[in-house]
């Protein structure tokens, strides 16, 4: 049975249990979309879309996350890539990963688009005839339901004669889970993309994998996390921190196009019996150069990960 959104912050300590198990399998490739829009009530404000995962979810149950999921083998099919608006080698170049192959790079974009549609009904695609954006909410909802029912994304794209719009997605960061994950016993190699919400589309959580959703400014999201109203995992916390200085979606996209995606390989350590996560630039991390603004480490206190400097260091990175 789906739980109600009013239970969103119940049991933070229960939700954020530390993991001590070493995971020897390679991290699973995945993609996540940070949906952005300019706040309707404030043209100078930037808002981010967050989904609350069902508490029964195997990964980050009960936490607020960005839409996303694992890369499927079918995402890398050349026949599906024929529907992309850019060639695979261009997408590989945009990701900036020389050790990655082009089909996998294209597959990560496909996974991001597929997961955005499946989890919140937002579709980055155009009709091939006329190249018009897709504004029909009922049609998108039908496609979303078909994906949940098991229909392949490629079949849907082919039958609807769609062109996948990768130009709207900009690589922002890459997070690789350490061998001893902090709050899950799974490892992921996740590429985070930033993307502006398409015109005349509105995301709606699917009530399957996600049971609540909200648009918040990065500052609001971090404040509500600090006050115990939202459960956030470290990648979401630090991504929101990186967005705090921006006042528009255009500002984020412009920066994403100018800089290479940040590579983040968190390195956990124990100090005085407390689990910490060090990020690039921290004295406890093997890389001396920072990957992003904000605190360079989080510590596990009060049943969650938080910076030693409190809310202020999150809101004023």
């Amino acid at each position: 049975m789906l739980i109600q959104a009013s239970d969103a912050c119940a049991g933070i300590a229960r939700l954020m249990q530390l993991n001590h198990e070493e995971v020897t399998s390679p991290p699973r490739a995945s993609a996540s979309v940070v949906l952005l829009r300019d706040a309707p009530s404030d043209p100078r404000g930037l808002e981010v879309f967050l989904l609350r995962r069902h508490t029964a979810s195997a990964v980050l149950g009960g936490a607020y996350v960005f839409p996303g999921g694992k890369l499927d083998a079918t995402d890398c099919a050349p026949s599906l890539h024929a529907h992309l608006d850019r060639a695979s080698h261009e997408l590989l170049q945009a990701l900036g990963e020389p050790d990655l192959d082009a089909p996998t790079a294209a597959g990560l974009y496909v996974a991001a688009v597929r997961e955005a549609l499946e989890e919140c009904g937002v579709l980055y695609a155009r009709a091939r005839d006329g190249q018009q954006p897709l504004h029909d909410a009922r049609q998108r909802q039908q496609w979303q339901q078909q994906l949940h029912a098991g229909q392949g994304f490629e079949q849907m794209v082919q039958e609807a004669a769609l062109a996948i719009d990768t130009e709207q997605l900009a690589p922002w960061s890459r997070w690789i889970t350490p061998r001893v994950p902090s709050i899950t016993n799974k490892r992921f190699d996740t590429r985070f993309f930033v993307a502006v919400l398409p015109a005349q589309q509105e995301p709606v959580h699917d009530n399957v994998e996600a049971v609540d959703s909200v648009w918040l400014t990065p500052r609001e999201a971090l404040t509500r996390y600090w006050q115990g109203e939202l459960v956030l995992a470290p990648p979401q916390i630090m991504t929101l921190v990186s967005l705090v200085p921006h006042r528009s979606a255009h500002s984020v996209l412009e920066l994403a196009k100018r800089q290479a995606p940040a590579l983040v390989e968190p390195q956990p350590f124990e100090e005085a019996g407390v689990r910490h996560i060090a990020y690039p630039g921290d004295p406890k991390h093997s890389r001396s150069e920072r990957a992003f603004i904000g605190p360079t480490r989080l510590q596990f206190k009060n049943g969650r990960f938080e910076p030693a400097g409190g809310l202020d260091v999150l809101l004023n990175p």
Side-chain angles (χ1 to χ4, degrees), residues 33-36 46-51 63-66 172-173 175 192 194 214-226 230-247 252 292-295 298 311 313-317:
V33 184
V34 185
L35 284 176
L36 308 171
L46 168 72
E47 290 186 332
V48 182
F49 183 72
L50 292 165
L51 292 168
Y64 279 80
V65 300
F66 310 118
W172 185 251
S173 61
W175 285 69
F192 287 83
V194 289
V214 64
W215 281 103
L216 294 171
T217 69
R219 296 180 68 89
E220 288 172 338
L222 291 167
T223 299
R224 290 181 62 178
Y225 141 78
W226 190 257
L230 296 181
V231 178
L232 294 173
Q236 284 69 38
I237 294 169
M238 300 310 301
T239 298
L240 289 166
V241 170
S242 74
L243 297 173
V244 164
H246 296 273
R247 293 295 174 263
V252 178
F292 44 64
I293 60 176
L298 299 177
L311 178 61
V313 300
L314 300 178
L315 300 185
N316 300 284

Side-chain angles (χ1 to χ4, degrees), residues 18-307:
L18 276 179
N19 170 67
H20 299 277
E21 177 184 348
E22 180 177 1
V23 180
T24 57
S25 57
R28 180 73 183 268
S30 59
S32 187
V33 184
V34 185
L35 284 176
L36 308 171
R37 74 176 184 184
D38 294 327
S41 59
D42 183 356
R44 298 170 300 172
L46 168 72
E47 290 186 332
V48 182
F49 183 72
L50 292 165
L51 292 168
R52 180 176 180 251
R53 289 209 179 281
H54 194 292
T55 51
S57 296
V59 179
L60 300 179
Y64 279 80
V65 300
F66 310 118
K70 297 185 292 293
L71 174 73
D72 290 341
T74 53
D75 295 329
C76 302
S79 54
L80 178 53
H81 296 172
H83 295 269
L84 296 172
D85 59 347
R86 286 188 284 175
S88 297
H89 71 271
E90 294 181 61
L91 301 177
L92 173 60
Q93 184 177 14
L95 285 175
E97 299 179 35
D99 295 333
L100 194 66
D101 61 88
T104 301
L108 287 164
Y109 277 83
V110 171
V113 173
R114 174 179 54 76
E115 289 287 347
L117 176 60
E118 186 171 342
E119 292 200 335
C120 62
V122 170
L123 179 57
Y124 290 94
R126 293 174 178 267
R128 281 188 177 274
D129 54 340
Q131 294 292 294
Q132 294 300 310
L134 304 167
H135 298 321
D136 189 336
R138 288 175 296 180
Q139 179 64 81
R140 293 196 308 276
Q141 184 180 34
Q142 181 180 341
W143 288 331
Q144 182 185 29
Q145 293 170 347
Q146 289 172 347
L147 290 178
H148 278 297
Q151 179 176 335
F153 185 57
E154 181 175 1
Q155 180 184 350
M156 189 207 84
V157 169
Q158 290 176 340
E159 291 179 352
L162 299 178
I164 300 173
D165 196 357
T166 67
E167 286 281 2
Q168 303 306 310
L169 278 67
W172 185 251
S173 61
R174 177 187 180 189
W175 285 69
I176 303 177
T177 311
R179 290 176 66 89
V180 180
S182 291
I183 52 177
T184 180
N185 61 353
K186 301 178 186 298
R187 297 186 69 201
F188 296 96
D189 185 349
T190 305
R191 282 72 170 188
F192 287 83
F193 297 87
V194 289
V196 178
L197 179 69
Q200 301 184 43
Q201 293 195 35
E202 186 63 32
V204 179
H205 58 274
D206 58 17
N207 271 326
V208 179
E209 298 179 26
V211 295
D212 190 22
S213 59
V214 64
W215 281 103
L216 294 171
T217 69
R219 296 180 68 89
E220 288 172 338
L222 291 167
T223 299
R224 290 181 62 178
Y225 141 78
W226 190 257
Q227 294 172 344
E229 298 173 14
L230 296 181
V231 178
L232 294 173
Q236 284 69 38
I237 294 169
M238 300 310 301
T239 298
L240 289 166
V241 170
S242 74
L243 297 173
V244 164
H246 296 273
R247 293 295 174 263
S248 70
H250 175 76
S251 171
V252 178
L253 268 291
E254 284 300 303
L255 179 59
K257 292 175 182 178
R258 293 197 309 266
Q259 68 180 17
L263 173 60
V264 187
E265 297 179 274
Q267 296 180 356
F269 66 95
E270 304 284 334
E271 187 171 88
V274 176
R275 174 76 62 85
H276 292 72
I277 304 176
Y279 299 117
D282 190 88
K284 287 284 191 177
H285 198 280
S286 58
R287 285 175 51 199
S288 59
E289 183 178 355
R290 277 177 169 264
F292 44 64
I293 60 176
T296 60
R297 72 171 68 176
L298 299 177
Q299 58 185 346
F300 191 74
K301 293 182 64 177
N302 306 313
R304 64 182 184 183
F305 278 96
E306 58 185 52

